[in-house]
């Protein structure tokens, strides 16, 4: 026994006393997960979150086409906003201003159909009238089509194709074409209706969206939003101006060189020029192919004309028109159009530059201003 009356076993009691809480903490770790919750709750939460994320992605993918149409409608409404604002400044109510813009758009569309439908109808009638002559030439061994038929036996191949189920395939193709036409008409109706609604209620929509911003930051957010809308509207007006120049140049060239349907081709080029970077090139290829109906030299000259016009548009027309519209680096324009086209096709290419403008304004106001001040 020690001098203080203990028997020398106190360290053992201390160790055993300390083992109790330690053992409880060890057992607590085995029963508890993150933040004091059980592993069952943690696993269930993670599984539920992953399931909801998967369902969200699937839903977005399934309604992706509808979201693309809605994006196009909003873009068109923002592009037409400067015209609506100008009409409201002329002491016209917003509803009547939207109605006037809609009537003007419908008139432009009717004019486009008046230019395109008659030539297309003439070509279809000419094709239908030419079919009996082609059939006679197929049985004429002295004609080009007859010699082609004697060598490749196209008529027998077509008959075998129809007898082996080709008729069903043709019917399926016609049904698919009908579905495509119905889908295109439905998509156009959706875009028109949503565009009209967004134009009519754009001020209310802006106020609703700004309510998600804190009250003390709301005035600055409204200034940034107005600047973005102003830049987008100016960009579209500049884009329309360059498209009008491209259409007028095409009309003059086709009229001088004798290429058929100069007015319709001019409108076609004007519409294609709205698509950045690739629109004029595709339109020039189409017009050059039409020029083949005149002669090969005219087609080659037309191709050369569009190469020269493209260079003039990129280095003379667009920089001057866009100088007071938007301030975006050319590299940002090219990369934005490529990314937008890869994600959303033609619609993505259309909205790429306005999106780049909006991102640039937001970065200048909320990111670069803080980094420059630090």
């Amino acid at each position: 026994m020690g001098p203080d009356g203990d028997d020398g076993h106190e360290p053992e009691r201390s160790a055993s006393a300390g083992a109790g809480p330690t053992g409880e903490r060890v057992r607590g770790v085995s029963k508890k997960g993150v933040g004091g919750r059980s592993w069952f709750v943690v696993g269930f939460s993670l599984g539920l979150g992953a399931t909801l994320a998967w369902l969200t992605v699937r839903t977005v993918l399934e309604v992706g086409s509808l979201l693309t149409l809605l994006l196009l409608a909003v873009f068109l409404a923002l592009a037409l906003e400067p015209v609506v604002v100008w009409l409201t400044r002329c002491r016209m109510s917003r509803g009547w201003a939207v109605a006037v813009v809609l009537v003007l758009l419908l008139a432009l569309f009717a004019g486009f159909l008046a230019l395109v439908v008659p030539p297309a109808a003439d070509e279809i009638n000419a094709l239908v009238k030419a079919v009996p002559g082609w059939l006679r030439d197929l049985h004429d061994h002295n004609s080009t089509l007859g010699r082609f038929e004697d060598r490749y036996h196209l008529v027998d191949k077509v008959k075998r194709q129809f007898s082996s189920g080709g008729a069903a395939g043709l019917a399926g193709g016609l049904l698919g074409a009908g579905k495509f036409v119905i889908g295109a008409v439905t998509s156009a109706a959706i875009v028109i209706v949503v565009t009209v609604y967004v134009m009519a209620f754009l001020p209310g929509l802006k106020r609703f969206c700004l309510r998600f911003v804190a009250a003390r930051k709301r005035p600055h957010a409204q200034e940034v939003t107005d600047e973005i809308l102003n830049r987008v509207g100016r960009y579209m007006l500049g884009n329309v101006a360059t498209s009008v120049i491209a259409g007028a140049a095409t009309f003059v060239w086709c009229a001088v060189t004798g290429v058929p349907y100069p007015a319709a081709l001019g409108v076609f080029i004007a519409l294609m020029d709205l698509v950045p970077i690739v629109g004029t090139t595709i339109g020039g290829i189409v017009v050059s192919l039409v020029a083949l109906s005149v002669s090969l030299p005219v087609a080659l000259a037309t191709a050369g004309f569009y190469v020269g016009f493209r260079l003039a548009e990129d280095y003379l027309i667009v920089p001057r028109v866009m100088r007071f519209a938007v301030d975006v680096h050319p590299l940002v324009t090219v990369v934005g159009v490529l990314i937008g086209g890869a994600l959303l096709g033609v619609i993505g290419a259309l909205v790429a530059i306005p999106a780049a403008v909006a991102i640039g304004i937001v970065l200048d106001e909320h990111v670069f201003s803080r980094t420059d001040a630090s």
Side-chain angles (χ1 to χ4, degrees), residues 24-354:
E24 290 178 0
R25 285 196 296 270
V26 173
R27 289 191 297 270
V29 171
S30 63
K31 293 181 180 179
K32 298 293 183 180
V34 181
R37 295 177 295 177
S38 67
W39 288 111
F40 174 78
V41 176
V42 173
F44 181 79
S45 301
L46 292 176
L48 180 61
T51 303
L52 292 177
W54 179 73
L55 291 176
T56 302
V57 171
R58 281 201 59 184
T59 302
V60 171
L61 293 177
E62 289 180 357
V63 300
S65 59
L66 179 60
L67 294 178
T68 303
L69 294 177
L70 295 179
L71 177 62
L72 177 61
V74 173
F75 174 72
L76 292 177
L78 296 180
L80 295 172
E81 177 64 12
V83 181
V84 176
V85 171
W86 180 78
L87 291 175
T88 55
R89 290 176 181 173
C90 297
R91 297 183 179 181
M92 185 180 296
S93 64
R94 188 172 184 87
W96 281 107
V98 172
V100 169
V101 172
L102 181 62
V103 170
L104 291 176
L105 290 178
L106 292 177
L108 291 176
F109 182 70
F112 173 72
L113 292 180
L115 290 174
V116 173
V117 172
D122 293 339
E123 294 298 328
I124 293 174
N125 291 331
L127 178 63
V128 172
K129 293 179 180 179
V131 169
W134 293 346
L135 293 177
R136 287 193 301 268
D137 291 340
L138 282 175
H139 297 87
D140 185 1
H141 301 286
N142 296 321
S143 65
T144 303
L145 285 177
R147 291 192 296 269
F148 195 78
E149 162 62 19
D150 293 337
R151 182 173 182 179
Y152 294 102
H153 307 288
L154 296 179
V155 176
D156 294 336
K157 291 181 179 179
V158 170
K159 290 180 179 179
R160 288 196 300 268
Q161 184 68 25
F162 269 88
S163 62
S164 62
L170 179 61
L174 294 176
L175 182 60
K179 290 182 178 179
F180 174 79
V181 172
I182 294 175
V185 173
T186 304
S187 299
I190 292 174
V191 171
I192 293 174
V193 172
V194 176
T195 301
V196 171
Y197 271 93
V198 173
M199 284 194 301
F201 301 104
L202 185 59
L205 291 175
K206 289 195 298 184
R207 289 192 298 268
F208 174 76
C209 294
L210 289 173
R211 292 186 65 184
F212 291 96
V213 182
R216 59 186 178 85
K217 298 181 180 180
R218 198 169 296 167
H220 181 65
Q222 184 172 0
E223 292 178 1
V224 174
T225 303
D226 292 338
E227 179 65 19
I228 292 174
L229 297 180
N230 187 24
R231 293 275 190 94
V232 171
R234 286 189 298 177
Y235 163 75
M236 282 305 301
L237 291 178
N239 204 7
V240 169
T242 58
S243 298
V244 171
I245 294 173
T250 298
F251 173 79
V252 172
W253 174 264
C254 293
V256 170
T257 57
V259 178
Y261 315 122
L265 292 177
V267 174
F268 171 73
I269 289 295
L271 293 177
M272 292 300 298
D273 192 73
L274 292 174
V275 182
I277 297 181
V278 298
T280 307
T281 302
I282 298 175
I285 293 173
V286 173
V287 177
S288 300
L289 292 176
V290 175
L292 280 173
S293 62
V294 180
S295 65
L296 181 60
V298 173
L300 295 176
T302 302
F305 165 77
Y306 277 104
V307 171
F309 180 81
R310 179 60 190 270
L311 294 175
E313 185 181 41
D314 290 341
Y315 294 100
L316 294 177
I317 300 175
V318 173
R320 293 178 181 274
V321 173
M322 294 296 180
R323 179 179 300 173
F324 303 102
V326 293
D327 185 16
V328 181
H329 195 276
L331 179 62
V332 176
T333 300
V334 174
V335 174
V337 170
L338 293 177
I339 295 176
L343 293 176
L344 300 176
V346 176
I347 297 175
L350 284 173
V351 303
I353 298 178

